[in-house]
Amino acid sequence: MKAISSVLTAVRCGLSIAALTALVAGCSSVPLEGASVESRNASDKGAKSGSSSGESGVAGVNAGGKDLPVWGKLPRLVYFDLDSFVVKDEYLNVVESNARALAADRSRRLTIAGHTDERGGREYNLALGQKRAESVAKSLTVLGASANQLEAVSFGKERPAVSGTGEEAWEKNRRAELNPR
C-alpha cells in the first residue's frame, strides 16, 4: 500500500510539473512595439489608427508635444454594455487621446478604475470591473502607452457614479475611469 501511495505521489508531482510548464509556455507574450491598429469604423475601413490623415478627430502628437492634447482636459470615461468588458468604438477616441499623451510623456501615469452596476454578486462585479480596467489598459498599450505607466484596479459595484436603480443609473455605473496619478 505504501508503494502505491509513493507511485501516486510521484505521478501527481510529474503531472503538476508538466501542467505548470505548459501554463508558463502558454503565457509567453508577443511584443506589441510597432504594431498597427486597424480602425473598425465602416467609413474608413482598412485605415490605420494614428495615421496623419486625422480620421479619429484627436489632435496629433509630435516629439515636442506641441500638438498634444492638454493632459488635464483629456476625456477620462469609457462606458460598457451590460456584462461586457469590450471597449466600444464610440470610446476609442478616449483611449487614443490618452495613449498619445502617455506615449509623448513617459513620466505620466494613469490608474484605470473598473466599475460595474449594482446587479450581480460582489466577486462577479470585482472580476468584471478588473476585466474592464485591463481591457482599457491593453488598448492603451496597443496604441503606444507603456504598460509601466498604467495600473488597472477594480471597485466593482462599491463606488457607483449614480445612486439608484434602473437603466439610467446602471449605464453610468458601468464604466472605467482613467485617473492621472
Side-chain angles (χ1 to χ4, degrees):
M1 192 66 163
K2 204 173 201 184
I4 294 174
S5 177
S6 295
V7 170
L8 287 176
T9 302
V11 170
R12 282 190 200 127
C13 184
L15 289 174
S16 296
I17 290 171
L20 184 58
T21 302
L23 178 66
V24 171
C27 290
S28 65
S29 63
V30 176
L32 296 174
E33 315 310 331
S36 63
V37 177
E38 292 186 20
S39 174
R40 296 188 299 173
N41 295 334
S43 63
D44 53 36
K45 211 171 199 123
K48 302 290 183 187
S49 292
S51 67
S52 58
S53 62
E55 300 103 9
S56 68
V58 176
V61 175
N62 65 28
K66 192 183 254 184
D67 296 312
L68 183 65
V70 178
W71 180 252
K73 296 187 182 210
L74 289 173
R76 302 282 184 201
L77 292 172
V78 175
Y79 292 98
F80 294 87
D81 289 331
L82 176 66
D83 293 329
S84 174
F85 55 92
V86 174
V87 177
K88 298 191 286 188
D89 286 344
E90 64 192 274
Y91 297 105
L92 290 178
N93 66 326
V94 175
V95 176
E96 185 178 59
S97 60
N98 280 275
R100 286 183 179 194
L102 289 165
D105 185 353
R106 296 292 181 186
S107 68
R108 297 280 186 186
R109 304 280 185 264
L110 279 181
T111 298
I112 302 121
H115 299 270
T116 65
D117 61 36
E118 65 183 14
R119 296 171 290 180
R122 184 176 187 277
E123 292 81 16
Y124 172 81
N125 282 323
L126 283 171
L128 180 58
Q130 187 67 34
K131 286 180 180 179
R132 288 176 175 169
E134 289 171 357
S135 177
V136 172
K138 181 70 169 179
S139 298
L140 287 164
T141 59
V142 166
L143 293 171
S146 173
N148 67 1
Q149 293 177 282
L150 307 170
E151 179 183 10
V153 299
S154 175
F155 293 103
K157 61 183 178 181
E158 304 303 319
R159 295 186 182 178
V162 177
S163 297
T165 59
E167 194 55 42
E168 276 187 47
W170 294 334
E171 284 177 352
K172 297 292 184 194
N173 292 329
R174 296 188 305 255
R175 69 197 189 283
E177 297 176 356
L178 289 72
N179 300 313
R181 51 183 166 113

